[in-house]
Amino acid sequence: MANKSKDENKLQGYDPAQFRRMTAIFVVLSLLNIGAVQMAFMRSGYGLYHAESALSHIAQVQQNVQTVSEKSLDMLVHKEEDITAKRDMININEAFEKIKTESKDYTDINLESIDPKLRDSFSDAESKIEAYKKALEDFNDEFAEKMEVSGEELDAYLNTIETKYSNNIEPLKDAAEEAVNKTFDAQNKATYDFFVRCAQQFLFVLIFLLVTLTIGIIGIKKMKKNAKVAAEAIRAEHLKAEKSREKSISIAYTNIVTSFRNRYGLEMDLDAKVKVEDISIALFKILSYDNVSERYGRSTADEYVLTISKALKKTFGDVADIYSTDNDEFCFVFKDVLDENGETDVILPIARTISHKVELDSASLQCLAAGCYYNCVPGTHSSCNTLLLKMDKAMSIAKQKTLSNGQNVVINVNNL
């Protein structure tokens, strides 16, 4: 009985509440510890987000600086191709706009919290990019102005353009690229150092969090690298496909000899306009063109048409969109509707330009020009095809009169 009573007293002395209290304290402390770690990680994660965002923005700046350099070099390679050079100028301007946007986003970040040296480094890069931009804009403006002229002046300029680029642009390009690359490397290193500091702060709390985080970061970096490689491959294929598509479309809608858009390009441009807009349009044909081709050969005939095309573009390119609807036929869609003086001020000068004597190495050529012009109101025609059909009938009359009179004849379709 005594032993039984002692065992009962021991059992009675066993107080499970103390263990419950210890458990409760441990749980509370653990929860507080977890909460503190979570809050710290949230604050550090916020900083890491900005560091990664800053790295992304400076990478975009670096990429667009590289794009500017690539497009400027491409422009030099294709210096004799107006369309390619102008497209490169547009791409250069777009790249500089992206640089401006990404630069603002980058400087809006609290860079001092990542690395106090970043802002000064980027300011230096920004000033060199601005100098590069100004010099390249001046260079492109001069290039664009020279593209509007032809002959010996243009040839002389093209012969010096590479030297001007090397002397005036390339040093600024190299300086800008070097400064941006330096900032990118500093940002990349600062981002990494920021992460290391955060990791060290929590090493004394939970070492396994650092291990987990390290594994996670390594995995993220690997995934990022793989995703970047895949994205770059997709981007390269996309750009290649886009360039191929643009080239195919350009070839399909362009007359190779004159570089004007062809009849299909005219139909694409006018099918919708003819239904809703007032349009002034003129059609001109070089008479006896076939005789030129038969007598002097197709190359001479092409050179003859090209010379006329350049003269038309130089004189009338500002007042009308010019199309080569056939080897010996030009169509003019005027940017403004012709008034009562249009025939004297514009139409007849076009005919005179076409029939002007052309001196070539192989021959001296001059052909008569027959033409017609039409002020078309909306709804008169359902498509460009029916509009051209009406003008072709007028052209037939103009050709007959030209051959009969021995001089240029232009007919007003509205009077038929």
Side-chain angles (χ1 to χ4, degrees):
M1 291 292 295
N3 290 335
K4 182 177 179 180
S5 177
K6 185 177 180 180
D7 290 339
E8 286 179 352
N9 289 334
K10 287 183 178 180
L11 185 60
Q12 290 176 356
Y14 172 73
D15 187 3
Q18 61 181 332
F19 297 102
R20 288 194 293 270
R21 286 194 296 271
M22 289 298 296
T23 300
I25 293 172
F26 178 77
V27 168
V28 169
L29 291 175
S30 297
L31 291 175
L32 291 174
N33 187 34
I34 292 172
V37 172
Q38 184 178 8
M39 290 180 63
F41 262 114
M42 287 177 64
R43 294 180 61 185
S44 299
Y46 186 74
L48 285 172
Y49 166 78
H50 282 291
E52 185 68 13
S53 179
L55 183 61
S56 174
H57 290 309
I58 195 63
Q60 288 294 321
V61 172
Q62 183 188 47
Q63 179 180 339
N64 281 286
V65 169
Q66 184 63 35
T67 297
V68 169
S69 300
E70 290 174 357
K71 294 302 179 182
S72 61
L73 291 175
D74 184 73
M75 184 173 62
L76 291 180
V77 172
H78 300 90
K79 60 187 178 183
E80 297 183 359
E81 302 175 19
D82 291 356
I83 295 176
T84 301
K86 289 178 180 178
R87 184 171 65 243
D88 287 334
M89 290 180 186
I90 292 173
N91 291 334
I92 288 171
N93 291 334
E94 291 176 348
F96 274 126
E97 286 299 318
K98 292 178 181 177
I99 290 172
K100 180 179 179 181
T101 301
E102 295 295 336
S103 297
K104 183 180 184 305
D105 292 339
Y106 180 76
T107 54
D108 285 344
I109 296 172
N110 184 12
L111 299 175
E112 287 74 9
S113 64
I114 303 172
D115 189 333
K117 299 177 182 179
L118 289 176
R119 192 171 297 278
D120 290 339
S121 177
F122 184 71
S123 295
D124 178 63
E126 238 183 348
S127 64
K128 291 178 179 177
I129 291 172
E130 186 60 30
Y132 178 31
K133 175 184 177 184
K134 186 178 185 306
L136 191 55
E137 284 177 345
D138 293 341
F139 179 83
N140 288 348
D141 289 343
E142 183 182 14
F143 190 9
E145 180 180 348
K146 294 296 182 183
M147 282 192 291
E148 299 302 323
V149 302
S150 59
E152 294 181 357
E153 182 179 353
L154 178 59
D155 293 338
Y157 176 77
L158 293 179
N159 289 334
T160 62
I161 189 173
E162 293 181 2
T163 301
K164 290 183 177 181
Y165 181 88
S166 298
N167 294 337
N168 301 331
I169 305 301
E170 193 159 1
L172 298 177
K173 172 184 79 69
D174 294 340
E177 289 179 347
E178 182 180 357
V180 171
N181 292 338
K182 179 181 177 182
T183 303
F184 175 81
D185 292 339
Q187 178 64 58
N188 190 40
K189 184 178 183 302
T191 301
Y192 176 79
D193 291 341
F194 188 90
F195 163 73
V196 171
R197 290 198 302 272
C198 292
Q200 290 174 342
Q201 291 174 6
F202 300 112
L203 185 62
F204 70 95
V205 181
L206 292 172
I207 191 63
F208 73 90
L209 289 180
L210 178 61
V211 174
T212 303
L213 190 59
T214 303
I215 294 173
I217 291 296
I218 292 173
I220 290 172
K221 286 187 175 182
K222 185 175 181 180
M223 291 171 64
K224 181 181 177 181
K225 182 179 178 180
N226 293 339
K228 183 179 180 181
V229 171
E232 288 176 346
I234 293 172
R235 180 174 177 270
E237 288 298 323
H238 176 71
L239 291 176
K240 183 178 179 181
E242 282 294 320
K243 289 181 179 178
S244 177
R245 178 175 175 273
E246 289 175 1
K247 186 174 181 180
S248 298
I249 292 174
S250 178
I251 291 173
Y253 291 101
T254 303
N255 183 293
I256 297 176
V257 175
T258 65
S259 296
F260 292 148
R261 284 169 70 81
N262 58 22
R263 179 173 64 83
Y264 302 105
L266 174 66
E267 291 181 357
M268 173 178 285
D269 294 341
L270 285 192
D271 270 341
K273 285 186 177 181
V274 75
K275 300 176 183 178
V276 296
E277 295 183 19
D278 288 322
I279 297 174
S280 287
I281 184 170
L283 199 63
F284 291 88
K285 185 173 285 291
I286 305 172
L287 300 188
S288 303
Y289 172 81
D290 291 338
N291 294 337
V292 173
S293 181
E294 292 170 1
R295 183 175 179 181
Y296 298 100
R298 297 188 181 186
S299 296
T300 299
D302 288 345
E303 188 178 359
Y304 174 52
V305 170
L306 178 58
T307 303
I308 293 174
S309 300
K310 289 180 178 179
L312 291 173
K313 182 177 181 180
K314 180 179 179 180
T315 308
F316 305 103
D318 293 334
V319 298
D321 295 320
I322 308 174
Y323 299 82
S324 290
T325 47
D326 208 340
N327 290 338
D328 60 348
E329 186 177 75
F330 296 97
C331 182
F332 295 76
V333 178
F334 296 97
K335 296 178 181 179
D336 296 315
V337 177
L338 296 178
D339 57 20
E340 58 183 8
N341 298 320
E343 181 173 333
T344 302
D345 295 341
V346 182
I347 300 299
L348 293 180
I350 291 175
R352 286 194 293 270
T353 301
I354 294 174
S355 63
H356 187 74
K357 190 174 184 180
V358 175
E359 297 290 346
L360 302 177
D361 293 338
S362 57
S364 178
L365 302 174
Q366 185 174 20
C367 296
L368 292 173
C372 59
Y373 67 97
Y374 187 18
N375 287 328
C376 179
V377 298
T380 305
H381 299 279
S382 60
S383 67
C384 178
N385 186 55
T386 59
L387 171 62
L388 292 177
L389 180 62
K390 186 175 183 67
M391 297 192 73
D392 285 339
K393 293 178 181 179
M395 177 64 77
S396 178
I397 299 172
K399 287 169 59 179
Q400 293 175 8
K401 290 185 176 181
T402 301
L403 294 173
S404 175
N405 298 338
Q407 61 183 9
N408 297 336
V409 174
V410 180
I411 291 177
N412 186 344
V413 179
N414 296 94
N415 294 335
L416 295 180

